[in-house]
Amino acid sequence: MKNRNVVIIGGGITGLAAAYYLVKSGIKNISILEKSYLGSGSTGRCGSGIRQQFTTKEHIVLMKESVKLWKEWNNDLPIPIHFEQGGYLWLLSNKKELAQYKEYVTYQNTFGVESIIISAKEAKEIVPDLNTDKVIGASWCHTDGNAYPFDVTNALQTFLKREKVEINTFEEVNKIHVKNDKIQEVVTNKNRYATNTVINGAGYGAKYIGQLAGLNLPLQPYRHQIAASEPMNNFLGPMIVKGGLYFLQTHRGRIVGGTDLKEPPLSNLNSTLNFLEEYSKQIISVLPIISSVNIMKQWAGYYIVTPDRHPILGPTKINGFVLGCGYSGHGFMLGPVVGKLLASLIVHKNMYIAEANNLTLERFKTGKLIKERAVIG
Amino acid sequence: MKDEEIIICRCEDITLKEIKDAIHKGYKDIESLRKYLQLSAGPCQGKTCIPLTEKILAQELKKRIDEIAMPTTRPPETPVPFGIFSKAKK
Ligand SMILES: Cc1cc2nc3c(=O)[nH]c(=O)nc-3n(C[C@H](O)[C@H](O)[C@H](O)COP(=O)(O)OP(=O)(O)OC[C@H]3O[C@@H](n4cnc5c(N)ncnc54)[C@H](O)[C@@H]3O)c2cc1C
Ligand code: FES
């Protein structure tokens, strides 16, 4: 039996970021428990995009703060994470879409996000290789960007190991003891941890971890597929989005992206030929010169989706059981701010951004759901 | 020959020394090594270097080769241009 101040379940960006800010707040004696290798969940499978172009106050405010923190991580973490603000270029193909995005941009601007609506011609100036035949304008934010997931997990893990945080990989949580609505103990296939504070950052495993503590979390897994090309010299610049299609060029030169096949909830991570056909068709229509470029590999991961497509953050009715899950496809970009919010909750008993309090589990009981209108890929 | 002169992944130019160093830094399974070193990310998609790396891992960790888990094979089997797939879908 080990005694721990905090036990973190899940070695993805949520768990690692929370540990980072707990250490920064002076908390010692932390364990991270990961059933496979670090980044093996959605974090290591994701599209790596980081944006502030959202349509709800909660997402916009949290993402604006997260971008600030990504910049700090870029300077402070012990190895480069390749956070780059190449921007997000959201291509619009009809008048209705354009009118809608004008509204979004106005809304984003009230929170200080530097998004603007530009013409198809201006979009082509940003990315000369674009085919803008069917584009009538774009929503553009130059401070959006991306970071390289495995560099991020490696950088965080290097920092945490130096700070003597215990990171146990290939160790699976299978029991949580709760007494009088208070966390007592976490049990894995290898050990037991006495603790009063647990962070559930278990991604697709978060529903099960919730059940272990006696909570029913409204989470559903959706398979999303993604592919990477062979590396090329950098020519693209921003993340490109059009309808369900998204793609960017990583700092290693590969085009990484996917498209939404609008599948029902699904618990398997098989790759399909149908995805490659759909994705190829869509990306070539936007970026014709990619036609002769090789696709190197294809894989799949989960979006863990909540009824209102916003994450579930913070406290529960179980004392000391803290949630960071259900990102509905946006958990990578939210990683830094969520980590800081959860650490602030544990250390100071409150999440330091007011909007985060709208995102607790409580909202599904009180019916105060949040609606996101711009979910992509 | 010295470890830094032995290339294990010829597509991505990764040496035996880099692999051994990574193992001793704590990247002790094939998937973590792959991701950390960008091993097997080349045109042959690891067909050459993954079997070699399994042997190195087994040696360094003093395990049997069958105890070293194989990574998932990711399609496509060989690199294929975007254009080919889009033709299939017209
Ligand atoms: C194809 C795709 C593209 C995406 N693109 C983007 C994007 O561009 N931008 C963005 O912000 N987000 C994107 N996402 C979403 C993003 O990947 C996730 O929201 C984010 O990675 C969630 O991080 P996490 O740490 O909460 O969960 P995960 O990374 O899934 O980590 C959870 C970890 O918990 C471990 N675990 C589970 N159960 C247990 C247990 N019982 N015991 C111990 N450990 C356990 C798992 O092994 C896993 O490693 C994308 C997702 C996919 C699939
Ligand atoms: S030898 Fe490693 S990818 Fe080809």
Side-chain angles (χ1 to χ4, degrees):
Chain A
M1 171 85 81
K2 302 182 183 184
N3 278 294
R4 290 289 176 265
N5 285 329
V6 183
V7 170
I8 298 174
I9 308 174
I13 189 150
T14 301
L16 297 170
Y20 176 86
Y21 285 108
L22 284 168
V23 166
K24 289 274 176 184
S25 317
I27 304 288
K28 299 216 151 54
N29 207 15
I30 303 167
S31 287
I32 300 177
L33 308 177
E34 164 55 54
K35 75 170 180 187
S36 181
Y37 58 93
L38 294 181
S40 58
S42 296
T43 299
R45 300 165 185 271
C46 83
S48 77
I50 297 170
R51 68 175 153 112
Q52 303 149 96
Q53 298 186 70
F54 276 98
T55 63
T56 65
K57 182 171 69 179
E58 288 74 17
H59 268 150
I60 297 171
V61 170
L62 260 58
M63 275 314 303
K64 186 155 184 270
E65 170 76 1
S66 212
V67 165
K68 194 186 104 195
L69 301 175
W70 276 110
K71 278 195 240 175
E72 290 177 10
W73 281 18
N74 216 19
N75 293 327
D76 297 348
L77 286 176
I79 51 180
I81 59 167
H82 298 101
F83 170 61
E84 278 159 21
Q85 290 179 294
Y88 252 66
L89 187 61
W90 211 301
L91 303 176
L92 308 171
S93 39
N94 59 53
K95 282 196 175 134
K96 194 173 146 230
E97 241 186 359
L98 184 64
Q100 209 174 31
Y101 278 76
K102 271 187 183 149
E103 261 179 54
Y104 296 159
V105 160
T106 311
Y107 192 54
Q108 289 151 10
N109 294 164
T110 60
F111 298 98
V113 172
E114 295 172 28
S115 49
I116 51 171
I117 294 288
I118 60 175
S119 67
K121 190 166 156 272
E122 288 167 314
K124 211 170 159 68
E125 278 161 20
I126 296 171
V127 182
D129 293 311
L130 279 185
N131 169 18
T132 50
D133 288 352
K134 290 190 181 123
V135 173
I136 64 165
S139 180
W140 165 240
C141 181
H142 72 103
T143 54
D144 290 348
N146 72 298
Y148 201 80
F150 277 101
D151 293 339
V152 175
T153 50
N154 282 327
L156 287 168
Q157 115 165 273
T158 305
F159 170 88
L160 294 171
K161 283 190 173 157
R162 275 184 205 163
E163 299 290 332
K164 307 273 182 293
V165 171
E166 180 179 66
I167 303 181
N168 295 334
T169 52
F170 298 95
E171 182 166 340
E172 183 168 0
V173 174
N174 51 33
K175 257 195 210 98
I176 296 176
H177 291 299
V178 178
K179 207 168 136 195
N180 302 328
D181 283 343
K182 207 167 179 301
I183 293 283
Q184 307 290 327
E185 195 191 342
V186 174
V187 184
T188 70
N189 55 346
K190 294 185 182 163
N191 225 318
R192 312 174 80 91
Y193 301 79
T195 187
N196 296 126
T197 310
V198 168
I199 295 179
N200 178 1
Y204 64 93
K207 194 172 176 79
Y208 169 70
I209 297 296
Q211 280 161 2
L212 293 182
L215 294 177
N216 180 20
L217 305 178
L219 302 172
Q220 271 197 310
Y222 285 75
R223 173 178 73 182
H224 280 260
Q225 299 184 60
I226 178 164
S229 77
E230 61 189 315
M232 288 164 283
N233 284 342
N234 234 291
F235 71 97
L236 191 60
M239 167 83 100
I240 311 288
V241 186
K242 185 163 182 277
L245 171 76
Y246 70 96
F247 60 92
L248 56 68
Q249 190 170 22
T250 68
H251 77 99
R252 292 193 160 102
R254 295 175 196 277
I255 303 287
V256 174
T259 188
D260 193 352
L261 297 180
K262 306 225 163 29
E263 293 177 325
L266 205 59
S267 291
N268 81 63
L269 289 180
N270 301 337
S271 301
T272 65
L273 181 60
N274 178 40
F275 165 79
L276 280 190
E277 293 176 353
E278 208 39 65
Y279 173 51
S280 300
K281 188 184 75 177
Q282 293 183 18
I283 194 171
I284 288 173
S285 75
V286 176
L287 194 71
I289 57 154
I290 203 158
S291 178
S292 61
V293 171
N294 281 321
I295 301 177
M296 296 297 294
K297 55 183 171 174
Q298 170 195 11
W299 65 97
Y302 290 120
Y303 281 20
I304 307 300
V305 177
T306 66
D308 63 7
R309 294 177 171 269
H310 278 64
I312 310 179
L313 303 180
T316 60
K317 65 171 198 219
I318 313 279
N319 231 312
F321 190 62
V322 174
L323 303 177
C325 53
Y327 301 100
S328 312
H330 311 128
F332 181 69
M333 58 181 96
L334 284 162
V337 70
V338 167
K340 198 166 177 180
L341 285 165
L342 300 187
S344 142
L345 176 69
I346 288 166
V347 179
H348 305 293
K349 306 277 169 261
N350 75 66
M351 295 199 277
Y352 71 104
I353 299 174
E355 284 75 12
N357 297 309
N358 303 344
L359 297 175
T360 59
L361 182 61
E362 188 67 12
R363 75 181 187 275
F364 300 102
K365 229 163 79 197
T366 56
K368 287 190 182 157
L369 300 194
I370 293 159
K371 277 272 168 279
E372 167 65 69
R373 284 172 292 174
V375 177
I376 55 161
Chain B
M1 245 160 103
K2 292 196 201 109
D3 284 359
E4 57 260 46
E5 289 166 1
I6 302 175
I7 308 268
I8 299 295
C9 177
R10 62 187 184 201
C11 301
E12 295 288 298
D13 202 10
I14 296 163
T15 65
L16 179 57
K17 180 167 190 320
E18 286 173 288
I19 292 175
K20 283 188 180 170
D21 286 351
I23 294 171
H24 296 296
K25 264 191 201 161
Y27 298 92
K28 293 190 177 171
D29 60 283
I30 287 270
E31 281 292 341
S32 301
L33 274 175
R34 269 176 75 172
K35 263 103 200 189
Y36 178 63
L37 292 171
Q38 288 292 298
L39 181 78
S40 86
C44 88
Q45 292 165 305
K47 287 190 194 68
T48 320
C49 57
I50 288 291
L52 290 171
T53 306
E54 283 177 329
K55 280 192 201 143
I56 301 165
L57 252 180
Q59 262 170 22
E60 293 299 303
L61 301 179
K62 306 212 170 16
K63 284 188 176 174
R64 290 196 319 270
I65 194 90
D66 58 278
E67 294 173 292
I68 308 289
M70 263 294 278
T72 357
T73 347
R74 305 220 188 275
E77 186 73 14
T78 50
V80 185
F82 282 96
I84 302 271
F85 291 110
S86 87
K87 287 230 172 57
K89 194 104 184 174
K90 267 283 147 71

